[in-house]
Amino acid sequence: TGGTLTGATAQPTAFCNRWPNYWSQTIYTAAELTAAGLSAGNITSMAYNVASLGDAATNANFTVKIGTVAGSNFTNTTFLSTTGYTTVYGPSTYTHTASGWQTITFATPYVWDGVSNIVVNVTHDGADNINNSQTYYTATADNKVLWVNSYNGTTTTGTTSVNRLNVIFGGQAAC
């Protein structure tokens, strides 16, 4: 719900176009998801709120995977293994607009059990130019985000952040 914007050249970002590619993992706790009104069942989409386009309206190879995680934050800079995660979107070219909520509708829903913390793994290619899409975020108390730019097949570590992008998940509303 935070109203703070990332800088045009800062990470994390929803749509990175400053670098040739981008990888992020973001943790959401079961308590946070439940408090936001989500209940067990299919998560069918996610949306980021952006205030600028960045240097490109498209990001090739945009892929979203979701899995469970025991912890509630990143305790080091090592990316979590995505083995067993559900690929819910892509790889596909994602096109976003210059402002507002950018909804990524999942091709395959993620079935959330209602009690596990989840991690959202996003990878995509960028324009390798200067500006990212400025994205609204909320500062958290601990490191809920891990990201890296210009990764390759051997990359295993990134940079942690407390700046977690604002997101809306589409799914089962709590009654």
Side-chain angles (χ1 to χ4, degrees), residues 11-44:
Q11 280 78 224
T13 180
F15 308 106
C16 183
N17 280 301
R18 182 169 174 79
W19 306 103
N21 57 40
Y22 182 73
W23 180 11
S24 69
Q25 290 185 338
T26 307
I27 295 174
Y28 300 91
T29 68
E32 291 170 326
L33 296 171
T34 301
L38 201 61
S39 66
N42 289 343
I43 298 176
T44 57

mmCIF file of all heavy atoms in Angstrom, residues 11-44:
data_model
loop_
_atom_site.group_PDB
_atom_site.id
_atom_site.type_symbol
_atom_site.label_atom_id
_atom_site.label_comp_id
_atom_site.label_asym_id
_atom_site.label_seq_id
_atom_site.Cartn_x
_atom_site.Cartn_y
_atom_site.Cartn_z
ATOM 1 N N GLN A 11 16.619 -0.677 -8.543
ATOM 2 C CA GLN A 11 16.008 -1.979 -8.382
ATOM 3 C C GLN A 11 15.626 -2.111 -6.905
ATOM 4 O O GLN A 11 16.295 -1.498 -6.083
ATOM 5 C CB GLN A 11 16.991 -3.100 -8.780
ATOM 6 C CG GLN A 11 17.106 -3.344 -10.265
ATOM 7 C CD GLN A 11 17.978 -2.308 -10.934
ATOM 8 O OE1 GLN A 11 17.645 -1.821 -11.964
ATOM 9 N NE2 GLN A 11 19.086 -1.924 -10.331
ATOM 10 N N PRO A 12 14.645 -2.894 -6.568
ATOM 11 C CA PRO A 12 13.829 -3.699 -7.465
ATOM 12 C C PRO A 12 12.888 -2.840 -8.313
ATOM 13 O O PRO A 12 12.625 -1.687 -7.981
ATOM 14 C CB PRO A 12 13.046 -4.608 -6.520
ATOM 15 C CG PRO A 12 12.997 -3.878 -5.219
ATOM 16 C CD PRO A 12 14.253 -3.054 -5.157
ATOM 17 N N THR A 13 12.387 -3.439 -9.373
ATOM 18 C CA THR A 13 11.440 -2.799 -10.274
ATOM 19 C C THR A 13 10.546 -3.873 -10.891
ATOM 20 O O THR A 13 10.940 -5.035 -10.956
ATOM 21 C CB THR A 13 12.172 -2.018 -11.385
ATOM 22 O OG1 THR A 13 11.214 -1.404 -12.240
ATOM 23 C CG2 THR A 13 13.084 -2.905 -12.209
ATOM 24 N N ALA A 14 9.382 -3.493 -11.313
ATOM 25 C CA ALA A 14 8.497 -4.471 -11.959
ATOM 26 C C ALA A 14 8.990 -4.806 -13.362
ATOM 27 O O ALA A 14 8.927 -5.952 -13.793
ATOM 28 C CB ALA A 14 7.068 -3.939 -12.023
ATOM 29 N N PHE A 15 9.490 -3.808 -14.071
ATOM 30 C CA PHE A 15 9.903 -3.982 -15.458
ATOM 31 C C PHE A 15 11.271 -3.342 -15.660
ATOM 32 O O PHE A 15 11.374 -2.137 -15.858
ATOM 33 C CB PHE A 15 8.852 -3.397 -16.408
ATOM 34 C CG PHE A 15 7.473 -3.913 -16.130
ATOM 35 C CD1 PHE A 15 6.525 -3.110 -15.512
ATOM 36 C CD2 PHE A 15 7.126 -5.223 -16.438
ATOM 37 C CE1 PHE A 15 5.255 -3.589 -15.226
ATOM 38 C CE2 PHE A 15 5.863 -5.718 -16.144
ATOM 39 C CZ PHE A 15 4.928 -4.897 -15.539
ATOM 40 N N CYS A 16 12.295 -4.160 -15.599
ATOM 41 C CA CYS A 16 13.673 -3.677 -15.688
ATOM 42 C C CYS A 16 14.061 -3.516 -17.154
ATOM 43 O O CYS A 16 14.012 -4.466 -17.932
ATOM 44 C CB CYS A 16 14.621 -4.660 -15.004
ATOM 45 S SG CYS A 16 16.334 -4.102 -14.997
ATOM 46 N N ASN A 17 14.434 -2.302 -17.519
ATOM 47 C CA ASN A 17 14.935 -2.056 -18.870
ATOM 48 C C ASN A 17 16.309 -1.395 -18.853
ATOM 49 O O ASN A 17 16.836 -1.025 -19.884
ATOM 50 C CB ASN A 17 13.936 -1.222 -19.665
ATOM 51 C CG ASN A 17 12.818 -2.089 -20.184
ATOM 52 O OD1 ASN A 17 13.066 -3.030 -20.917
ATOM 53 N ND2 ASN A 17 11.600 -1.806 -19.769
ATOM 54 N N ARG A 18 16.886 -1.260 -17.682
ATOM 55 C CA ARG A 18 18.225 -0.709 -17.544
ATOM 56 C C ARG A 18 19.285 -1.747 -17.910
ATOM 57 O O ARG A 18 20.395 -1.389 -18.276
ATOM 58 C CB ARG A 18 18.436 -0.228 -16.110
ATOM 59 C CG ARG A 18 19.773 0.407 -15.852
ATOM 60 C CD ARG A 18 19.784 1.092 -14.501
ATOM 61 N NE ARG A 18 21.089 1.588 -14.151
ATOM 62 C CZ ARG A 18 21.635 2.697 -14.613
ATOM 63 N NH1 ARG A 18 20.969 3.439 -15.472
ATOM 64 N NH2 ARG A 18 22.829 3.066 -14.221
ATOM 65 N N TRP A 19 18.952 -3.014 -17.806
ATOM 66 C CA TRP A 19 19.908 -4.096 -17.996
ATOM 67 C C TRP A 19 19.378 -5.091 -19.032
ATOM 68 O O TRP A 19 18.200 -5.088 -19.352
ATOM 69 C CB TRP A 19 20.167 -4.795 -16.665
ATOM 70 C CG TRP A 19 20.578 -3.841 -15.601
ATOM 71 C CD1 TRP A 19 19.802 -3.364 -14.585
ATOM 72 C CD2 TRP A 19 21.844 -3.194 -15.454
ATOM 73 N NE1 TRP A 19 20.502 -2.472 -13.814
ATOM 74 C CE2 TRP A 19 21.767 -2.347 -14.329
ATOM 75 C CE3 TRP A 19 23.037 -3.251 -16.180
ATOM 76 C CZ2 TRP A 19 22.831 -1.569 -13.901
ATOM 77 C CZ3 TRP A 19 24.105 -2.469 -15.741
ATOM 78 C CH2 TRP A 19 24.003 -1.652 -14.615
ATOM 79 N N PRO A 20 20.226 -5.989 -19.527
ATOM 80 C CA PRO A 20 19.773 -6.953 -20.529
ATOM 81 C C PRO A 20 18.815 -8.001 -19.969
ATOM 82 O O PRO A 20 18.024 -8.573 -20.709
ATOM 83 C CB PRO A 20 21.054 -7.603 -21.046
ATOM 84 C CG PRO A 20 22.073 -7.350 -19.995
ATOM 85 C CD PRO A 20 21.674 -6.084 -19.309
ATOM 86 N N ASN A 21 18.881 -8.254 -18.650
ATOM 87 C CA ASN A 21 17.924 -9.173 -18.030
ATOM 88 C C ASN A 21 17.861 -8.918 -16.530
ATOM 89 O O ASN A 21 18.690 -8.181 -15.979
ATOM 90 C CB ASN A 21 18.248 -10.643 -18.337
ATOM 91 C CG ASN A 21 19.644 -11.040 -17.921
ATOM 92 O OD1 ASN A 21 20.130 -10.651 -16.871
ATOM 93 N ND2 ASN A 21 20.306 -11.818 -18.760
ATOM 94 N N TYR A 22 16.877 -9.532 -15.880
ATOM 95 C CA TYR A 22 16.584 -9.228 -14.476
ATOM 96 C C TYR A 22 15.947 -10.447 -13.827
ATOM 97 O O TYR A 22 15.171 -11.168 -14.458
ATOM 98 C CB TYR A 22 15.618 -8.038 -14.434
ATOM 99 C CG TYR A 22 15.230 -7.549 -13.067
ATOM 100 C CD1 TYR A 22 16.132 -6.838 -12.286
ATOM 101 C CD2 TYR A 22 13.959 -7.772 -12.567
ATOM 102 C CE1 TYR A 22 15.770 -6.369 -11.039
ATOM 103 C CE2 TYR A 22 13.596 -7.297 -11.327
ATOM 104 C CZ TYR A 22 14.502 -6.598 -10.553
ATOM 105 O OH TYR A 22 14.136 -6.128 -9.325
ATOM 106 N N TRP A 23 16.273 -10.669 -12.546
ATOM 107 C CA TRP A 23 15.731 -11.795 -11.778
ATOM 108 C C TRP A 23 15.421 -11.302 -10.379
ATOM 109 O O TRP A 23 16.269 -10.677 -9.737
ATOM 110 C CB TRP A 23 16.765 -12.898 -11.735
ATOM 111 C CG TRP A 23 16.426 -14.154 -10.990
ATOM 112 C CD1 TRP A 23 15.223 -14.544 -10.493
ATOM 113 C CD2 TRP A 23 17.337 -15.201 -10.663
ATOM 114 N NE1 TRP A 23 15.325 -15.767 -9.891
ATOM 115 C CE2 TRP A 23 16.623 -16.194 -9.981
ATOM 116 C CE3 TRP A 23 18.705 -15.399 -10.879
ATOM 117 C CZ2 TRP A 23 17.215 -17.365 -9.510
ATOM 118 C CZ3 TRP A 23 19.286 -16.560 -10.421
ATOM 119 C CH2 TRP A 23 18.555 -17.530 -9.751
ATOM 120 N N SER A 24 14.211 -11.553 -9.925
ATOM 121 C CA SER A 24 13.865 -11.200 -8.547
ATOM 122 C C SER A 24 13.078 -12.326 -7.899
ATOM 123 O O SER A 24 12.369 -13.081 -8.573
ATOM 124 C CB SER A 24 13.052 -9.904 -8.489
ATOM 125 O OG SER A 24 11.762 -10.093 -9.040
ATOM 126 N N GLN A 25 13.223 -12.431 -6.593
ATOM 127 C CA GLN A 25 12.410 -13.320 -5.766
ATOM 128 C C GLN A 25 11.851 -12.471 -4.641
ATOM 129 O O GLN A 25 12.577 -11.684 -4.031
ATOM 130 C CB GLN A 25 13.223 -14.486 -5.215
ATOM 131 C CG GLN A 25 13.633 -15.476 -6.272
ATOM 132 C CD GLN A 25 14.347 -16.699 -5.712
ATOM 133 O OE1 GLN A 25 14.902 -16.690 -4.617
ATOM 134 N NE2 GLN A 25 14.330 -17.778 -6.490
ATOM 135 N N THR A 26 10.547 -12.626 -4.383
ATOM 136 C CA THR A 26 9.873 -11.833 -3.362
ATOM 137 C C THR A 26 9.055 -12.760 -2.470
ATOM 138 O O THR A 26 8.300 -13.592 -2.970
ATOM 139 C CB THR A 26 8.945 -10.782 -4.011
ATOM 140 O OG1 THR A 26 9.701 -10.021 -4.960
ATOM 141 C CG2 THR A 26 8.359 -9.853 -2.971
ATOM 142 N N ILE A 27 9.196 -12.583 -1.165
ATOM 143 C CA ILE A 27 8.487 -13.407 -0.191
ATOM 144 C C ILE A 27 7.264 -12.663 0.333
ATOM 145 O O ILE A 27 7.337 -11.479 0.683
ATOM 146 C CB ILE A 27 9.410 -13.799 0.974
ATOM 147 C CG1 ILE A 27 10.544 -14.706 0.471
ATOM 148 C CG2 ILE A 27 8.621 -14.484 2.101
ATOM 149 C CD1 ILE A 27 11.590 -15.040 1.511
ATOM 150 N N TYR A 28 6.145 -13.394 0.392
ATOM 151 C CA TYR A 28 4.906 -12.919 1.014
ATOM 152 C C TYR A 28 4.515 -13.968 2.046
ATOM 153 O O TYR A 28 4.416 -15.155 1.713
ATOM 154 C CB TYR A 28 3.790 -12.768 -0.029
ATOM 155 C CG TYR A 28 4.135 -11.788 -1.121
ATOM 156 C CD1 TYR A 28 4.751 -12.216 -2.288
ATOM 157 C CD2 TYR A 28 3.870 -10.430 -0.969
ATOM 158 C CE1 TYR A 28 5.100 -11.316 -3.284
ATOM 159 C CE2 TYR A 28 4.214 -9.526 -1.968
ATOM 160 C CZ TYR A 28 4.828 -9.983 -3.116
ATOM 161 O OH TYR A 28 5.171 -9.084 -4.093
ATOM 162 N N THR A 29 4.286 -13.547 3.284
ATOM 163 C CA THR A 29 3.937 -14.515 4.315
ATOM 164 C C THR A 29 2.453 -14.853 4.251
ATOM 165 O O THR A 29 1.637 -14.058 3.765
ATOM 166 C CB THR A 29 4.268 -13.999 5.726
ATOM 167 O OG1 THR A 29 3.400 -12.898 6.039
ATOM 168 C CG2 THR A 29 5.733 -13.568 5.839
ATOM 169 N N ALA A 30 2.128 -16.021 4.760
ATOM 170 C CA ALA A 30 0.725 -16.444 4.813
ATOM 171 C C ALA A 30 -0.089 -15.433 5.612
ATOM 172 O O ALA A 30 -1.224 -15.101 5.242
ATOM 173 C CB ALA A 30 0.619 -17.838 5.424
ATOM 174 N N ALA A 31 0.482 -14.914 6.694
ATOM 175 C CA ALA A 31 -0.229 -13.929 7.511
ATOM 176 C C ALA A 31 -0.532 -12.663 6.709
ATOM 177 O O ALA A 31 -1.629 -12.101 6.807
ATOM 178 C CB ALA A 31 0.587 -13.592 8.752
ATOM 179 N N GLU A 32 0.423 -12.212 5.894
ATOM 180 C CA GLU A 32 0.204 -11.021 5.064
ATOM 181 C C GLU A 32 -0.866 -11.275 4.010
ATOM 182 O O GLU A 32 -1.738 -10.422 3.780
ATOM 183 C CB GLU A 32 1.503 -10.610 4.370
ATOM 184 C CG GLU A 32 2.560 -10.077 5.307
ATOM 185 C CD GLU A 32 3.909 -9.915 4.639
ATOM 186 O OE1 GLU A 32 4.265 -10.716 3.745
ATOM 187 O OE2 GLU A 32 4.619 -8.972 5.028
ATOM 188 N N LEU A 33 -0.796 -12.431 3.366
ATOM 189 C CA LEU A 33 -1.776 -12.750 2.331
ATOM 190 C C LEU A 33 -3.181 -12.850 2.917
ATOM 191 O O LEU A 33 -4.138 -12.330 2.340
ATOM 192 C CB LEU A 33 -1.385 -14.050 1.620
ATOM 193 C CG LEU A 33 -0.067 -14.001 0.832
ATOM 194 C CD1 LEU A 33 0.322 -15.400 0.374
ATOM 195 C CD2 LEU A 33 -0.159 -13.043 -0.331
ATOM 196 N N THR A 34 -3.284 -13.495 4.063
ATOM 197 C CA THR A 34 -4.581 -13.630 4.726
ATOM 198 C C THR A 34 -5.107 -12.266 5.170
ATOM 199 O O THR A 34 -6.288 -11.957 4.979
ATOM 200 C CB THR A 34 -4.475 -14.587 5.931
ATOM 201 O OG1 THR A 34 -4.016 -15.861 5.452
ATOM 202 C CG2 THR A 34 -5.803 -14.770 6.620
ATOM 203 N N ALA A 35 -4.232 -11.449 5.753
ATOM 204 C CA ALA A 35 -4.638 -10.107 6.196
ATOM 205 C C ALA A 35 -5.104 -9.242 5.024
ATOM 206 O O ALA A 35 -5.956 -8.368 5.186
ATOM 207 C CB ALA A 35 -3.490 -9.421 6.926
ATOM 208 N N ALA A 36 -4.564 -9.520 3.824
ATOM 209 C CA ALA A 36 -4.962 -8.765 2.630
ATOM 210 C C ALA A 36 -6.265 -9.287 2.028
ATOM 211 O O ALA A 36 -6.753 -8.746 1.040
ATOM 212 C CB ALA A 36 -3.849 -8.819 1.586
ATOM 213 N N GLY A 37 -6.818 -10.358 2.622
ATOM 214 C CA GLY A 37 -8.110 -10.855 2.166
ATOM 215 C C GLY A 37 -8.057 -12.079 1.287
ATOM 216 O O GLY A 37 -9.079 -12.511 0.760
ATOM 217 N N LEU A 38 -6.879 -12.666 1.101
ATOM 218 C CA LEU A 38 -6.747 -13.854 0.264
ATOM 219 C C LEU A 38 -7.000 -15.102 1.106
ATOM 220 O O LEU A 38 -6.618 -15.156 2.270
ATOM 221 C CB LEU A 38 -5.336 -13.900 -0.322
ATOM 222 C CG LEU A 38 -5.100 -14.736 -1.567
ATOM 223 C CD1 LEU A 38 -5.945 -14.232 -2.735
ATOM 224 C CD2 LEU A 38 -3.628 -14.698 -1.951
ATOM 225 N N SER A 39 -7.658 -16.075 0.520
ATOM 226 C CA SER A 39 -7.858 -17.353 1.205
ATOM 227 C C SER A 39 -7.326 -18.477 0.331
ATOM 228 O O SER A 39 -6.999 -18.275 -0.838
ATOM 229 C CB SER A 39 -9.337 -17.576 1.544
ATOM 230 O OG SER A 39 -10.101 -17.710 0.375
ATOM 231 N N ALA A 40 -7.236 -19.645 0.911
ATOM 232 C CA ALA A 40 -6.710 -20.806 0.189
ATOM 233 C C ALA A 40 -7.459 -20.989 -1.129
ATOM 234 O O ALA A 40 -8.663 -20.750 -1.215
ATOM 235 C CB ALA A 40 -6.841 -22.052 1.053
ATOM 236 N N GLY A 41 -6.717 -21.411 -2.145
ATOM 237 C CA GLY A 41 -7.308 -21.639 -3.458
ATOM 238 C C GLY A 41 -6.407 -21.104 -4.542
ATOM 239 O O GLY A 41 -5.224 -20.839 -4.320
ATOM 240 N N ASN A 42 -6.958 -20.930 -5.720
ATOM 241 C CA ASN A 42 -6.176 -20.505 -6.883
ATOM 242 C C ASN A 42 -5.806 -19.030 -6.832
ATOM 243 O O ASN A 42 -6.668 -18.174 -6.639
ATOM 244 C CB ASN A 42 -6.968 -20.756 -8.169
ATOM 245 C CG ASN A 42 -7.083 -22.220 -8.503
ATOM 246 O OD1 ASN A 42 -6.342 -23.048 -7.992
ATOM 247 N ND2 ASN A 42 -8.024 -22.542 -9.382
ATOM 248 N N ILE A 43 -4.512 -18.757 -7.017
ATOM 249 C CA ILE A 43 -4.044 -17.391 -7.277
ATOM 250 C C ILE A 43 -3.929 -17.310 -8.793
ATOM 251 O O ILE A 43 -3.213 -18.091 -9.419
ATOM 252 C CB ILE A 43 -2.702 -17.103 -6.585
ATOM 253 C CG1 ILE A 43 -2.858 -17.219 -5.056
ATOM 254 C CG2 ILE A 43 -2.202 -15.711 -6.972
ATOM 255 C CD1 ILE A 43 -1.557 -17.034 -4.291
ATOM 256 N N THR A 44 -4.671 -16.390 -9.392
ATOM 257 C CA THR A 44 -4.822 -16.364 -10.843
ATOM 258 C C THR A 44 -4.126 -15.200 -11.546
ATOM 259 O O THR A 44 -4.052 -15.177 -12.774
ATOM 260 C CB THR A 44 -6.311 -16.328 -11.209
ATOM 261 O OG1 THR A 44 -6.899 -15.176 -10.578
ATOM 262 C CG2 THR A 44 -7.032 -17.589 -10.724
#
